[in-house]
C-alpha cells in the first residue's frame, strides 16, 4: 500500500505513520492513520510486481482516520 497525502508539507509526510488490518487480507482491509490536518488522502494498492492495481481517493479529517478499502 502506498499512501499520498495532500495539504501537508514534505517533512510531515515523511513522518506520517499508518497501519493496515487485517493482515493478511483477501478482499477488504482498513488503513488507519493520524493526520495533523484535514487532507485529501490517495491510497494506491500495489501488487507484488510493483504495478498499481487500484487507486482510492478519500478525504481525511484531523486526527485518527480509518479508511475501509
Amino acid at each position: 500500500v502506498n499512501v499520498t497525502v495532500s495539504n501537508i508539507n514534505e517533512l510531515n509526510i515523511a513522518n506520517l505513520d499508518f497501519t493496515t488490518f487485517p493482515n493478511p487480507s483477501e478482499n477488504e482491509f482498513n488503513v488507519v492513520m493520524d493526520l495533523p490536518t484535514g487532507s485529501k488522502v490517495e491510497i494506491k494498492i500495489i501488487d507484488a510486481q510493483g504495478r498499481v492495481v487500484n487507486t482510492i481517493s478519500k478525504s481525511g479529517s484531523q486526527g485518527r482516520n480509518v479508511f475501509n478499502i
Side-chain angles (χ1 to χ4, degrees), residues 40-43 55-59:
K40 285 185 183 178
V41 177
E42 183 176 88
I43 301 168
T55 300
I56 298 101
S57 295
K58 301 278 189 173
S59 292

Side-chain angles (χ1 to χ4, degrees), residues 1 18-33 64-69:
V1 175
F18 68 93
T19 58
T20 60
F21 71 92
N23 188 8
S25 176
E26 193 168 312
N27 293 319
E28 289 187 9
F29 64 95
N30 296 291
V31 175
V32 181
M33 67 179 67
R64 181 156 299 246
N65 291 268
V66 179
F67 303 108
N68 181 270
I69 308 299

Side-chain angles (χ1 to χ4, degrees), residues 3-8 33 35 37-42 57-61 67:
V3 176
T4 303
V5 180
S6 65
N7 300 334
I8 297 178
M33 67 179 67
L35 296 173
T37 62
S39 304
K40 285 185 183 178
V41 177
E42 183 176 88
S57 295
K58 301 278 189 173
S59 292
S61 57
F67 303 108

